[in-house]
Amino acid sequence: MTNKINIENIRNIGIIAHIDAGKTTVTERILYYTGRSHKIGEVHDGEAVMDWMPDEQERGITITSAVTTCQWKNNQIQIIDTPGHVDFTIEVERSLRVLDGAIGVFCAVGGVEPQSETVWRQADKYFVPKIAFVNKMDRIGADFFGTVAMIEERLGASPLILQLPIGSEDNFSGIIDLVNMEQIIWDDDTLGESYSTEEIPSNLLETAQEYHDKLIELLADVDDNIMDAYLAEEHIDVKSIQSAIHKATIEMKLVPILCGSALKNKGIQPLLDSISLYLPSPVEVPPIQGTHPETGEVLNRTARKNAPLAALIFKVSMIEGRKLSFIRIYSGKIKAGGEVYNPTRKIKEKLSRILMMHANKRERIDEADAGSIVGIVGLKDSSTGETLCDIKNQIMLEDMDFYEPVISIAIEPKTHADQEKLEQVLKKFTAEDPTLVVKQDEDTGQTILSGMGELHLEVIISRMIREFKTTVNIGKPQVVHKEAIENEGSATTEFDREVAGQRQYAEVSIKIIPQPRGAGNSFKSKVPEDVIPEEFIASIRKGVMDSLESGAHMGYRVTDVKAVLTGGKFKDSLSSELAYTVCASMACKEALTKGNPYLLEPVMEVEIFLPESFTGDVIGDINSRSGKIESVETNKGIKTIKATVPLSRMFGYSTSLRSASQGRGTFTMQFSHFDRSG
């Protein structure tokens, strides 16, 4: 089967939100009304199509980004449903990297919650145009205008209200469409599949007209055609309004605001129309930029199927033991059975099968063009974040950002059979998830798993048992530290030994210089070629960088240092790459020791929500955990406390908060930065 759809009719969108804002429910309704699902799956029943993993169904949350494709009118909508829990932020980041537009789902009661803020800013980083959908208008405490105000204040967005709710809470019955100036009422008997458009009732007409005028005024500020018509007091037709909204959305000047209740089957069809009308097709986003892997020349690729291939692997999954790679094709096309080139690894890969995805179900297609998001079977060595291209037209797309793990657990296989399986299982997990780091503890022989949070590691262990039938003993969670140095440290080391019957010689002088926090590690050589030949510099660099992976203080990774090669010696016929690698590693360790190393620990951003009366006790508890209060705000009698707290002091915090707030307080936590321990 060939996927034949015009690129102008493709919409690559993500659904982003805080946990429990109704994101997966919105996706389920989209699949139902587009005919992709024949029944509505509910998250609370563990039946959501997009939450297909057992852990997702049990916990009622999205853990892994699921990809699906559906049709609405003439458009093909490719949706990525992203996780809302902070431990899986990397999943969101990877998805946003390949999207052309996003739907931000907000709970009408909770408004803009912490993870919504994080994800929204991630979308801003990748210049992803957005539409906001204010969900749960049927819930007690629903506040449409309060949520819109929070979108403006907290996210720095410029909201463009396109719809008004008719009623709220139990009385929520439909919406007023401010573009077409009509009301839309849904039929409950058909699960919202049938709906009627009617004239706006007289009691709502004045409010509707007021907000329609505001809509035109906001568009006039960003669109010259609308401004000219507005000043001339001419009638502005619906098509002109829609065209102006489309342009302002793509240019990220305005964010269209819609509303509804996904659970009550209201508001989804107009949302689908808005995706088609206002979010960009692949040809309307700027060309993807990359570099030539050898020359470093900056290259652009436009979204055309007859252009050279440029595709990005944004996710790898192990489904039923087989490797499935998800790719976004930016330009060119691929064929089943064809070859592609990976410039990162300098290898050719064969595409055994191309799959159109629907959550964990798949449909085979013969080829896929620019703008498509598809699954690939057959990529053996290529991994997340790597580029696929033509060998004759090489390009390397921008690397993805990966977050560093902050928490670790020790694991041991329970049986000899588990021991044999464990290594293979962990290899599959790390191929799938770049934020999962596996190391061996040299002293204990234990395997150390490091990840983004307790939930992240819990899910990995659960999958290990369920999917791969591998059982392990688990240690207590430990905080992942780093090391830094206070002062400069220098060392000169000589390596002169017999290795495998052959004498090996090297001498290097290394200076390690502390850098500002967040600068990362770097290496520079100041040695002329007549002292140490150029071909050995890469080996010295490798020795230094390997050494920085485990510091001289407590064996944690060293960060924020600059290593400088200041001198050394070379002996013809005796000096080798191995000798220089080992020698550089020894010199680096010694220099670190002289630099007065110290520990860094992860500091978390904590946001706490609780009734006002418990504020004092909770702030006192945060202070006792060496936390710093950043701000305290009040909204409708609910206090929001923002603080930064060392992760090591946050274990068991949910129990403490429940106790201090009589079970009424909630909190979210996400990584902020590393800082000096103690």
Side-chain angles (χ1 to χ4, degrees):
M1 181 186 160
T2 303
N3 181 33
K4 290 184 179 176
I5 190 96
N6 287 332
I7 192 166
E8 291 83 5
N9 295 111
I10 292 175
R11 299 291 181 272
N12 290 318
I13 66 156
I15 300 191
I16 58 175
H18 186 87
I19 191 168
D20 216 23
K23 170 172 52 61
T24 300
T25 308
V26 169
T27 313
E28 294 295 322
R29 296 311 185 266
I30 287 174
L31 297 182
Y32 180 71
Y33 297 128
T34 57
R36 205 63 176 88
S37 294
H38 300 296
K39 69 174 261 200
I40 295 178
E42 302 291 9
V43 177
H44 54 262
D45 294 335
E47 289 182 352
V49 173
M50 300 297 276
D51 287 349
W52 55 271
M53 287 170 60
D55 278 286
E56 293 178 313
Q57 292 169 350
E58 281 178 11
R59 298 169 191 271
I61 62 170
T62 304
I63 289 170
T64 180
S65 341
V67 180
T68 194
T69 308
C70 56
Q71 305 286 136
W72 182 251
K73 299 178 179 176
N74 297 321
N75 294 310
Q76 178 174 293
I77 302 174
Q78 301 177 145
I79 305 170
I80 300 181
D81 178 24
T82 59
H85 195 284
V86 67
D87 280 17
F88 306 101
T89 300
I90 187 66
E91 279 279 339
V92 184
E93 181 102 9
R94 288 186 292 182
S95 304
L96 289 170
R97 173 74 170 77
V98 300
L99 295 174
D100 300 327
I103 311 293
V105 178
F106 299 92
C107 171
V109 182
V112 177
E113 295 169 283
Q115 183 63 0
S116 327
E117 246 178 289
T118 304
V119 179
W120 194 273
R121 303 217 188 286
Q122 286 172 316
D124 282 344
K125 176 177 143 186
Y126 291 114
F127 304 103
V128 177
K130 295 169 285 291
I131 289 173
F133 182 73
V134 180
N135 191 27
K136 302 192 179 185
M137 283 305 306
D138 59 307
R139 287 268 303 273
I140 294 169
D143 182 353
F144 174 74
F145 292 106
T147 302
V148 173
M150 286 176 83
I151 290 170
E152 187 169 19
E153 288 161 22
R154 289 201 174 188
L155 304 177
S158 301
L160 181 70
I161 296 175
L162 304 189
Q163 297 174 351
L164 294 176
I166 302 173
S168 67
E169 301 180 353
D170 289 344
N171 298 319
F172 176 66
S173 59
I175 61 166
I176 291 170
D177 177 344
L178 297 171
V179 176
N180 294 288
M181 286 299 281
E182 58 192 19
Q183 77 168 5
I184 305 175
I185 304 293
W186 276 265
D187 179 9
D188 290 334
D189 294 337
T190 63
L191 293 174
E193 204 163 349
S194 302
Y195 57 96
S196 57
T197 53
E198 304 162 2
E199 283 190 10
I200 299 169
S202 56
N203 63 320
L204 299 174
L205 193 56
E206 190 180 334
T207 305
Q209 192 59 53
E210 180 194 336
Y211 278 93
H212 175 80
D213 294 344
K214 284 182 181 175
L215 166 71
I216 300 296
E217 284 168 20
L218 279 168
L219 287 173
D221 287 341
V222 297
D223 189 283
D224 290 343
N225 295 331
I226 300 287
M227 176 62 87
D228 293 344
Y230 178 71
L231 292 173
E233 296 185 2
E234 296 170 359
H235 172 70
I236 304 168
D237 61 70
V238 169
K239 279 222 160 99
S240 300
I241 295 172
Q242 288 172 340
S243 173
I245 297 170
H246 176 74
K247 186 168 174 283
T249 306
I250 289 175
E251 292 173 356
M252 295 180 66
K253 290 176 179 173
L254 297 170
V255 175
I257 309 283
L258 296 94
C259 61
S261 166
L263 191 64
K264 300 292 185 190
N265 311 308
K266 294 177 173 68
I268 300 301
Q269 294 93 338
L271 174 62
L272 281 161
D273 287 337
S274 298
I275 291 168
S276 302
L277 286 166
Y278 307 133
L279 289 178
S281 73
V283 294
E284 292 176 300
V285 295
I288 190 75
Q289 200 170 76
T291 53
H292 193 284
E294 287 170 14
T295 65
E297 178 194 354
V298 175
L299 302 165
N300 289 320
R301 292 280 191 267
T302 50
R304 298 193 329 268
K305 68 178 178 184
N306 56 356
L309 177 67
L312 185 76
I313 305 169
F314 67 93
K315 176 179 168 66
V316 172
S317 279
M318 294 294 169
I319 297 175
E320 295 164 6
R322 300 190 70 175
K323 184 177 177 182
L324 179 63
S325 306
F326 293 85
I327 68 165
R328 161 73 193 261
I329 306 171
Y330 288 99
S331 67
K333 62 182 177 184
I334 56 171
K335 287 188 176 181
E339 275 191 345
V340 292
Y341 183 70
N342 180 332
T344 306
R345 298 179 185 264
K346 297 183 171 56
I347 55 168
K348 287 181 183 176
E349 292 262 43
K350 190 164 182 175
L351 310 176
S352 306
R353 282 185 282 164
I354 304 171
L355 304 168
M356 186 74 76
M357 303 305 299
H358 177 47
N360 66 330
K361 298 182 178 69
R362 307 173 277 290
E363 182 183 346
R364 287 180 74 162
I365 54 176
D366 300 325
E367 59 181 58
D369 299 332
S372 299
I373 292 175
V374 291
I376 300 289
V377 177
L379 301 180
K380 289 181 181 171
D381 299 307
S382 300
S383 192
T384 305
E386 292 174 0
T387 304
L388 302 175
C389 62
D390 298 328
I391 193 163
K392 291 178 182 173
N393 291 284
Q394 292 184 30
I395 187 171
M396 197 176 289
L397 302 177
E398 184 190 357
D399 286 343
M400 289 179 162
D401 288 339
F402 292 126
Y403 292 76
E404 294 202 40
V406 293
I407 200 157
S408 298
I409 52 170
I411 59 170
E412 289 175 338
K414 283 191 175 178
T415 67
H416 184 65
D418 291 327
Q419 174 73 59
E420 289 178 354
K421 279 197 285 184
L422 187 60
E423 198 172 318
Q424 292 174 316
V425 171
L426 290 175
K427 200 172 175 183
K428 286 175 178 174
F429 280 140
T430 50
E432 197 177 290
D433 183 354
T435 58
L436 185 70
V437 176
V438 179
K439 284 184 178 175
Q440 293 296 126
D441 188 309
E442 290 175 9
D443 297 327
T444 65
Q446 288 174 315
T447 301
I448 308 295
L449 284 189
S450 304
M452 301 301 296
E454 286 182 88
L455 179 61
H456 182 201
L457 295 177
E458 272 177 36
V459 168
I460 293 290
I461 299 295
S462 173
R463 287 186 62 199
M464 205 179 279
I465 297 164
R466 286 180 194 265
E467 291 175 37
F468 298 96
K469 309 290 186 282
T470 308
T471 51
V472 289
N473 294 316
I474 307 158
K476 283 186 178 176
Q478 303 286 327
V479 172
V480 175
H481 289 81
K482 285 187 180 181
E483 292 183 20
I485 55 169
E486 201 135 33
N487 312 309
E488 285 185 14
S490 299
T492 300
T493 302
E494 184 183 59
F495 182 87
D496 189 355
R497 289 182 200 167
E498 198 169 287
V499 180
Q502 192 175 345
R503 190 180 165 206
Q504 308 255 7
Y505 180 84
E507 185 181 302
V508 296
S509 298
I510 300 284
K511 184 190 279 184
I512 306 287
I513 306 162
Q515 299 296 292
R517 192 72 59 245
N521 297 337
S522 61
F523 173 85
K524 189 177 179 182
S525 172
K526 288 188 174 179
V527 174
E529 197 167 343
D530 61 341
V531 176
I532 298 176
E534 181 67 29
E535 68 253 34
F536 294 116
I537 300 300
S539 300
I540 294 170
R541 185 185 189 282
K542 183 180 183 305
V544 168
M545 290 307 182
D546 286 352
S547 183
L548 294 177
E549 287 300 309
S550 57
H553 183 41
M554 290 183 70
Y556 293 108
R557 185 168 172 261
V558 180
T559 190
D560 303 330
V561 296
K562 181 180 180 181
V564 183
L565 177 64
T566 56
K569 285 180 186 173
F570 166 76
K571 287 186 180 178
D572 205 8
S573 78
L574 295 180
S575 291
S576 66
E577 289 181 358
L578 173 66
Y580 277 114
T581 301
V582 175
C583 190
S585 179
M586 291 160 63
C588 182
K589 280 279 191 289
E590 192 180 331
L592 286 170
T593 306
K594 291 177 178 176
N596 194 15
Y598 60 88
L599 278 184
L600 296 169
E601 64 180 332
V603 176
M604 311 305 281
E605 262 177 35
V606 181
E607 198 157 5
I608 304 157
F609 308 89
L610 73 164
E612 221 168 322
S613 53
F614 303 109
T615 308
D617 288 349
V618 170
I619 287 177
D621 186 37
I622 289 291
N623 287 332
S624 73
R625 295 169 186 268
S626 306
K628 291 177 185 169
I629 305 295
E630 304 287 334
S631 67
V632 182
E633 294 171 8
T634 308
N635 184 23
K636 298 179 195 169
I638 298 294
K639 282 281 186 196
T640 302
I641 302 167
K642 290 186 180 180
T644 53
V645 190
L647 175 58
S648 58
R649 305 297 302 273
M650 287 299 291
F651 288 117
Y653 183 65
S654 52
T655 307
S656 295
L657 180 61
R658 277 198 300 273
S659 168
S661 64
Q662 296 177 13
R664 294 174 68 190
T666 59
F667 80 104
T668 66
M669 181 170 73
Q670 65 189 58
F671 173 73
S672 171
H673 61 283
F674 276 90
D675 207 349
R676 192 158 188 166
S677 183

